[in-house]
Amino acid sequence: MRTLVIVSHPDIQGSSSQQFLKESLPTHEKITFHHLEEWYPDGRIDCIAEQKLIQEHDRIIFQFPLYWYSSPAMLKQWQDEVLTESFAFGVHGTALRGKSFGLVLVIGNSEKAYQAGGREGFSLSAITIPFQAMAKKVGMHFLKPFGIYQFQYMDEPTKWKLLIQYQQYLCLEDSDSLKEREEWLIRALTATNLATLPKEAAPILEETITQLVHTRSELDELKLYLEGM
């Protein structure tokens, strides 16, 4: 699966969260990182090039900091100018049909603030309804939004967990599936260059892969047994 991450941030170099996410992109997957403000500093979007880029990918991700419950201005401009009739919708507008669409949202408040009765008063699902409507209009499958809350307060173990969850959100058909997450982790560990690790780490990595494969095999056998009861 080819994933296009369309990023909108007016000061991406000064954003610790966006820099972390950019560095987190897995090199063994087909992922394109596309920062709009870097490509179009004068605000003039090449719509033909953008449409071609979309067509070359299977999953489209909008990644941005949540500004007043919406996206930065450049991403809204991109939607207005790129998702045109006869391309994205209308009688002949089928270019996006069947693709999946997701949101990676960097949010300054806590997760509990975004729920009924919370400080913000609305859930993330409610706030992202315009993006859900856009996906429905152009025939894309809308993925559950991936919210990153209060990145500036995260400790290192939490950031490592975020890194893995972020990579899986970009790459997996169903990032909620335990089996898919396990299989992805096995592939990722297998693709690790052992030369980049300390000598003592190599046997630990190999043993971890063996245990994951063994556990997955046992779970599959248990599932078959339960289904046959």
Side-chain angles (χ1 to χ4, degrees):
M1 181 172 62
R2 297 160 299 178
T3 300
L4 174 62
V5 184
I6 299 176
V7 183
S8 182
H9 195 295
D11 182 23
I12 197 168
Q13 295 301 324
S15 170
S16 59
S17 58
Q18 293 297 334
Q19 291 301 312
F20 175 85
L21 295 175
K22 184 177 181 180
E23 293 298 321
S24 299
L25 296 175
T27 56
H28 60 282
E29 301 283 359
K30 297 178 181 179
I31 298 176
T32 302
F33 184 89
H34 187 53
H35 178 219
L36 295 179
E37 284 84 355
E38 180 181 352
W39 275 89
Y40 305 111
D42 59 358
R44 300 178 63 181
I45 296 175
D46 185 339
C47 297
I48 301 301
E50 293 296 309
Q51 291 176 348
K52 182 175 183 295
L53 190 62
I54 294 172
Q55 291 175 299
E56 293 171 350
H57 292 79
D58 309 297
R59 172 168 291 180
I60 313 300
I61 302 292
F62 284 0
Q63 180 173 300
F64 57 89
L66 195 64
Y67 284 177
W68 277 109
Y69 314 107
S70 188
S71 66
M74 176 64 85
L75 185 55
K76 179 59 171 67
Q77 180 185 343
W78 184 95
Q79 289 176 260
D80 292 342
E81 298 182 9
V82 176
L83 304 183
T84 56
E85 188 171 2
S86 297
F87 171 75
F89 64 95
V91 177
H92 303 291
T94 60
L96 300 179
R97 189 170 298 171
K99 298 180 185 291
S100 56
F101 172 71
L103 299 170
V104 174
L105 306 174
V106 179
I107 302 169
N109 284 332
S110 65
E111 184 173 4
K112 66 181 181 181
Y114 288 89
Q115 56 186 325
R119 187 191 314 169
E120 298 298 332
F122 297 93
S123 68
L124 204 57
S125 292
I127 289 172
T128 58
I129 283 176
F131 294 101
Q132 297 174 46
M134 182 206 77
K136 182 176 183 298
K137 176 103 175 160
V138 301
M140 289 196 290
H141 170 62
F142 186 78
L143 305 172
K144 182 174 66 175
F146 186 83
I148 301 172
Y149 300 90
Q150 297 185 310
F151 177 84
Q152 67 274 25
Y153 299 122
M154 288 184 181
D155 56 22
E156 286 305 309
T158 305
K159 287 181 180 179
W160 280 110
K161 183 178 179 181
L162 168 63
L163 182 151
I164 293 173
Q165 292 173 335
Y166 175 65
Q167 291 187 356
Q168 292 176 337
Y169 185 77
L170 299 185
C171 304
L172 297 183
E173 290 288 343
D174 180 7
S175 59
D176 287 331
S177 165
L178 175 60
K179 182 175 182 179
E180 283 200 40
R181 294 201 307 271
E182 287 179 342
E183 291 174 346
W184 176 90
L185 184 57
I186 292 170
R187 291 196 303 271
L189 293 175
T190 303
T192 301
N193 183 358
L194 297 179
T196 64
L197 300 176
K199 183 181 296 185
E200 62 272 16
I204 297 175
L205 177 63
E206 292 173 357
E207 178 62 22
T208 300
I209 294 172
T210 300
Q211 290 298 323
L212 284 170
V213 172
H214 179 68
T215 301
R216 172 41 50 194
S217 177
E218 288 187 330
L219 288 173
D220 287 341
E221 289 179 5
L222 178 60
K223 181 180 179 182
L224 287 173
Y225 174 76
L226 292 174
E227 289 176 348
M229 290 181 65

